[in-house]
Amino acid sequence: AEIAPGAVHVPDWLDVERQRELVVACREWARSPAGLRSARLPSGGVMSVRTVCLGWHWYPYRYSRTVDDGDGSPVTPFPDWLGDLGRRALADAYGRAAEDYRPDVALVNFYDADARMGMHQDRDERSREPVVSLSLGDSCVFRFGNAENRNKPWTDVELCSGDLFVFGGPSRLAYHGVPKTFPGTGPEIGMAAGRLNITLRVSGMD
Ligand code: MD5
Ligand code: FE
């Protein structure tokens, strides 16, 4: 379903077996040297969501090749197979060829029962190529806003395990957030609890 121009929701895009494989991969990435951590905001706050970065390390509000807000570990590489998955996602969501889509960053967000993501824009990438989002585990309320400010109008969409969302074109810079998850709603895919979201992005850097 096209929620807004360039914002396409494809429910149930990943079958359960593929979801299980992604959970296994996320667990391995979380254990790598530049693994799961809560980003610290310049305001002094700490994000309730915990994140693993692949390809480039993100911290508010920039990208680096090493964990510059931590122990300086090199960032975990972005695997080729994840780029292939991103091209298939874009092709299915937009119904057009996507061989030229070359994501080089993945941010894997883990939400426990209390984690939230406030309304924000994703504008730390130098490219405005689409963002591919894959959800695993517990369902959530995803709040898709407008490109002007973090306030209404917005549309609330329930995202479930296996759902794909692509944000491109005029929706690439829309404000968005996750005000709520629904603990205990995830399928049996090897996650004890919580929600995972994998976003694939083009950094526009080299
Ligand atoms: C999440 N993650 O569910 C969301 C899904 C993040 C983040 O917001 O920054 O890690 S990605 C949603 C997204 C990305 C790019 C553009 C737009 C939404 N959008 O225009 O609405 O953890
Ligand atoms: Fe975001």
Side-chain angles (χ1 to χ4, degrees):
E2 189 163 52
I3 305 296
V8 178
H9 180 202
V10 185
D12 242 355
W13 187 67
L14 293 161
D15 64 29
V16 165
E17 203 41 53
R18 203 78 182 114
Q19 294 178 47
R20 286 206 180 97
E21 289 168 8
L22 283 171
V23 170
V24 169
C26 289
R27 187 166 283 122
E28 280 166 17
W29 295 327
R31 279 200 298 252
S32 67
L36 202 64
R37 99 281 178 233
S38 296
R40 288 171 183 282
L41 303 166
S43 61
V46 176
M47 289 178 71
S48 58
V49 170
R50 286 184 289 164
T51 307
V52 182
C53 308
L54 309 180
W56 288 87
H57 178 73
W58 178 82
Y59 65 104
Y61 292 95
R62 54 184 293 193
Y63 282 101
S64 58
R65 280 296 196 189
T66 48
V67 182
D68 289 3
D69 60 342
D71 65 2
S73 301
V75 68
T76 306
F78 181 97
D80 287 342
W81 63 263
L82 206 49
D84 295 337
L85 189 67
R87 284 181 284 281
R88 285 202 296 277
L90 208 67
D92 282 358
Y94 286 163
R96 62 160 166 83
E99 291 97 49
D100 53 343
Y101 184 60
R102 292 272 176 274
D104 63 341
V105 182
L107 302 187
V108 181
N109 290 326
F110 176 73
Y111 295 74
D112 66 18
D114 302 314
R116 309 276 178 268
M117 175 99 62
M119 295 295 278
H120 67 279
Q121 289 173 299
D122 290 15
R123 51 186 308 154
D124 299 327
E125 300 78 21
R126 287 185 197 156
S127 158
R128 291 295 174 253
E129 285 289 294
V131 172
V132 166
S133 153
L134 299 169
S135 293
L136 299 167
D138 288 340
S139 302
C140 75
V141 176
F142 174 74
R143 183 160 288 173
F144 178 78
N146 62 82
E148 274 70 54
N149 59 57
R150 64 185 72 250
N151 309 318
K152 289 181 178 179
W154 59 53
T155 305
D156 284 349
V157 181
E158 187 168 332
L159 291 186
C160 302
S161 195
D163 287 9
L164 162 67
F165 218 125
V166 176
F167 303 94
S171 294
R172 176 65 179 76
L173 289 180
Y175 281 83
H176 59 277
V178 177
K180 182 179 175 48
T181 68
F182 298 103
T185 55
E188 296 285 331
I189 53 170
M191 285 179 71
R195 169 176 187 259
L196 283 169
N197 182 268
I198 304 174
T199 53
L200 309 185
R201 303 152 187 252
V202 179
S203 70
M205 303 188 293
D206 43 34

